[in-house]
Amino acid sequence: MAQNENIIIINCGSQFTQLIARRLREMKVHSVILNWDSDSAKVSSYSPKGVIISGGPDSVNNPDAITIDPKILALGCPVLGICYGMQLLAKLTGGVVSSGGSPEYGVTRIHRTSQSRLLGASLPDTLNVLMSHGDNVSSLPEGFTATSATDGGVISSIESEAKGFYGLQFHPEVVHTEHGMEILRAFAFGICGCSGDWDLSDWVNVTVGRIREAVGGDKVVCGLSGGVDSSVSAVLVNKAIGQNLRCVFVNHGLMRKNEPEEVMESYKALGLNVVYVDASEKFLEALKGVTEPEQKRKIIGRLFIEVFDEEARKIEGAKWLLQGTIYPDVIESGSKKGAAVIKSHHNVGGLPEHMKLKLLEPLRDLFKDEVRQIGRLIGLADSFVERQPFPGPGLAVRCLGEITRKRLDALREADAIFREELKSAGLYDGIWQSFCVLLPVKSVGVMGDSRTYREVAALRAIHSQDAMTAEWVRIDYDVLDRTAKRICNEVKEINRVVLDITSKPPATIEWE
Ligand code: XMP
């Protein structure tokens, strides 16, 4: 990567550090995240065009607060401190940071108070920005100017053009900050002089090289789920080490209509070395009589690992386990309620100790849309890359009540009809997730002259950015009407169709 321009991001523990890197990638600037304790020699070895000091949860006035090597400030490249980073920058250059003043959390209004290189002239004088701080800079270091302040009078940005030091008390990297990208652009292009010489194809080349170097002649095993993340990871590693990548695709019998066949075909077309394991009977047997959602998930998670382990053991000399972990998974595993269950399906944490496999996670720092872009770059078809997210436990969490082959088949048919109708109306691709849920409720109907007493299907379609929140999709009534008619006519186990109009929160996307 030496040929590319770099911005070094020094991570002081902010939950947004990866987001800063992501924003820079969006503007085609390469960045490297280093831990706060990296010394100036390490930073300098990247010949950085600039340094960004991230936010962090600490207070600079805490005697044990993390700090950076002050020699980094003498490297001669521009430095931008964000939130905690600005306070650290101020403190290290002779300013004063006060604790216990006016904390500000959430979207806050700021006003420009003087000319600024960072808040360029094209920006409005007033901006709504995301603040998240307890401390604030109360006395500026020598040579600095305060360039903006909040309604409450707190200094919200500082700079010393002569020294090349810039500070933002707010987070330009989050979408809640107006013109945040322009502010970061002003730093990367206007102040650091980056030209934007990097793109995701560079990422692919570098990553493939790194995988090759790390893995050498070892074998790597990979559990493919049919999803975008595991598939993109596998194709990348396949590019690096070819047939030494051994993939296992476990069909747990809980996939959508025709999905196992379609997915296997795609894998073959991509040149992946895949073993197909049909474990559907095993899963059905283990799920017999189980209706409690968490119990279903646990059984599926445990069995998946068992089946995968059995197959992986057959691969002699396997030293690595490839996983399609992406950055939101990393965050969720640390914080999201229920994440342990979500993770147990795919996560190495759940794999048996004796496997002693080293972990390979090439997508760990990326966001979903970046993974999709990379998927396209390395030859995955649009239709594959744009697949809607599908939960690890599959239709088990959409087949409420007892899971039987008959009920699963009915759900698969109804789900396929809903998908077909959305596709033919041109709506499917714009929806984050859409699916059918089979309810363990029977209701009375009339078909022809006969009474029916059958189960109910619920239609669920949601828009989302990241699956953390979701809004139900207002689907055209005619599309809903066609879907309901077809389901009742074509799926003999169902005589009633309802629409789920709950957003998340309060509901979750999946029903179980
Ligand atoms: P919820 O239902 O929690 O779902 O709103 C959020 C997102 O996660 C998916 N999901 C899962 N994905 N294993 C997965 O890989 C799981 O166990 C799992 N449960 C839910 C869900 O489809 C939605 O996209």
Side-chain angles (χ1 to χ4, degrees):
M1 186 44 64
Q3 72 277 19
N4 280 114
E5 299 165 340
N6 282 307
I7 286 194
I8 298 295
I9 303 171
I10 300 184
N11 184 12
C12 295
S14 167
Q15 54 172 328
F16 297 133
T17 301
Q18 285 294 346
L19 202 51
I20 302 172
R22 189 242 148 89
R23 295 292 174 234
L24 292 172
R25 288 197 290 273
E26 276 176 48
M27 50 183 91
K28 298 191 183 298
V29 172
H30 183 254
S31 64
V32 176
I33 297 176
L34 297 179
N35 207 29
W36 60 271
D37 55 2
S38 306
D39 63 12
S40 67
K42 171 124 195 202
V43 174
S44 168
S45 70
Y46 290 90
S47 311
K49 299 284 281 182
V51 170
I52 295 179
I53 311 170
S54 85
D58 222 334
S59 159
V60 293
N61 293 326
N62 179 343
D64 305 323
I66 58 171
T67 187
I68 61 163
D69 178 358
K71 289 198 204 114
I72 293 170
L73 303 182
L75 288 176
C77 61
V79 176
L80 168 64
I82 295 178
C83 195
Y84 182 83
M86 160 162 137
Q87 294 167 4
L88 200 52
L89 180 65
K91 186 165 180 179
L92 290 173
T93 52
V96 177
V97 175
S98 302
S99 300
S102 337
E104 288 165 313
Y105 297 99
V107 175
T108 309
R109 201 160 56 156
I110 64 164
H111 309 271
R112 192 200 307 271
T113 51
S114 80
Q115 221 189 7
S116 161
R117 280 197 78 189
L118 211 47
L119 312 178
S122 61
L123 260 56
D125 285 336
T126 302
L127 291 176
N128 289 312
V129 300
L130 186 88
M131 288 282 193
S132 181
H133 68 103
D135 297 354
N136 55 274
V137 174
S138 51
S139 172
L140 289 176
E142 209 182 303
F144 276 77
T145 312
T147 55
S148 68
T150 67
D151 279 350
V154 170
I155 296 174
S156 46
S157 58
I158 59 174
E159 61 189 58
S160 166
E161 194 175 343
K163 293 189 167 89
F165 293 160
Y166 300 80
L168 296 170
Q169 185 54 70
F170 56 91
H171 290 276
E173 67 277 18
V174 302
V175 287
H176 311 282
T177 292
E178 290 171 354
H179 301 280
M181 274 297 265
E182 279 157 82
I183 297 170
L184 285 174
R185 255 175 209 288
F187 180 69
F189 294 98
I191 295 168
C192 299
C194 290
S195 58
D197 65 347
W198 179 90
D199 63 27
L200 280 175
S201 56
D202 292 328
W203 184 95
V204 171
N205 295 334
V206 171
T207 305
V208 166
R210 281 198 189 135
I211 294 169
R212 201 174 283 141
E213 206 175 296
V215 171
D218 293 347
K219 285 194 186 118
V220 177
V221 287
C222 166
L224 289 174
S225 68
V228 178
D229 306 339
S230 65
S231 308
V232 170
S233 306
V235 175
L236 267 180
V237 174
N238 186 51
K239 267 181 180 296
I241 63 166
Q243 297 301 299
N244 270 350
L245 170 68
R246 305 294 169 88
C247 305
V248 179
F249 174 57
V250 177
N251 177 6
H252 52 18
L254 302 164
M255 300 193 84
R256 289 161 290 195
K257 190 175 176 186
N258 300 332
E259 200 168 19
E261 298 78 14
E262 283 168 13
V263 162
M264 275 305 288
E265 252 171 54
S266 307
Y267 289 149
K268 293 246 163 78
L270 289 165
L272 297 176
N273 185 345
V274 193
V275 179
Y276 173 82
V277 186
D278 185 355
S280 46
E281 281 301 332
K282 238 185 197 160
F283 279 83
L284 266 183
E285 188 56 36
L287 288 166
K288 214 175 200 167
V290 179
T291 55
E292 206 281 314
E294 280 312 299
Q295 215 186 335
K296 282 183 189 172
R297 283 175 174 270
K298 284 195 183 115
I299 291 170
I300 294 165
R302 179 180 45 77
L303 207 52
F304 185 89
I305 289 162
E306 238 175 76
V307 175
F308 179 75
D309 180 38
E310 202 180 311
E311 262 336 287
R313 275 164 183 267
K314 296 181 193 157
I315 302 166
E316 265 177 46
K319 294 246 169 52
W320 296 81
L321 176 74
L322 171 63
Q323 288 205 297
T325 317
I326 65 170
Y327 188 62
D329 299 335
V330 177
I331 299 205
E332 280 177 25
S333 61
S335 61
K336 195 186 158 198
K337 202 170 137 261
V341 176
I342 288 177
K343 297 291 131 185
S344 68
H345 198 80
H346 299 288
N347 207 324
V348 74
L351 284 178
E353 269 278 297
H354 67 82
M355 287 177 79
K356 302 233 178 317
L357 295 170
K358 288 184 271 185
L359 195 57
L360 198 58
E361 294 177 310
L363 307 178
R364 201 183 157 82
D365 294 339
L366 302 182
F367 292 78
K368 189 88 183 179
D369 58 322
E370 294 181 302
V371 173
R372 288 188 161 134
Q373 282 179 53
I374 288 169
R376 281 192 201 96
L377 278 174
I378 59 179
L380 271 74
D382 275 355
S383 56
F384 198 89
V385 167
E386 292 301 334
R387 291 163 71 90
Q388 293 184 355
F390 187 62
L395 297 182
V397 295
R398 298 177 180 174
C399 186
L400 275 54
E402 191 182 359
I403 296 169
T404 61
R405 189 176 288 282
K406 193 165 170 242
R407 294 190 74 229
L408 279 175
D409 285 343
L411 173 57
R412 260 190 275 269
E413 287 306 319
D415 186 71
I417 291 170
F418 189 27
R419 188 163 54 241
E420 269 170 38
E421 289 302 327
L422 288 174
K423 278 191 175 164
S424 62
L427 299 175
Y428 186 77
D429 290 340
I431 292 177
W432 175 273
Q433 266 177 296
S434 53
F435 52 87
C436 269
V437 182
L438 187 65
L439 308 187
V441 174
K442 283 189 172 177
S443 77
V444 175
V446 55
M447 287 184 92
D449 290 326
S450 312
R451 174 189 193 266
T452 58
Y453 187 53
R454 297 176 186 170
E455 286 188 323
V456 180
L459 307 179
R460 178 101 170 119
I462 54 100
H463 286 312
S464 178
Q465 295 272 324
D466 49 16
M468 306 293 278
T469 58
E471 179 72 22
W472 65 279
V473 182
R474 274 63 168 173
I475 299 170
D476 183 83
Y477 283 173
D478 291 337
V479 178
L480 291 172
D481 183 52
R482 276 198 298 276
T483 306
K485 280 193 176 116
R486 277 194 61 196
I487 290 177
C488 293
N489 283 334
E490 296 174 35
V491 188
K492 68 174 189 324
E493 291 80 6
I494 298 171
N495 68 352
R496 189 176 297 267
V497 177
V498 296
L499 177 67
D500 182 352
I501 54 163
T502 344
S503 290
K504 174 182 179 178
T508 51
I509 296 172
E510 304 293 345
W511 278 44
E512 286 191 341

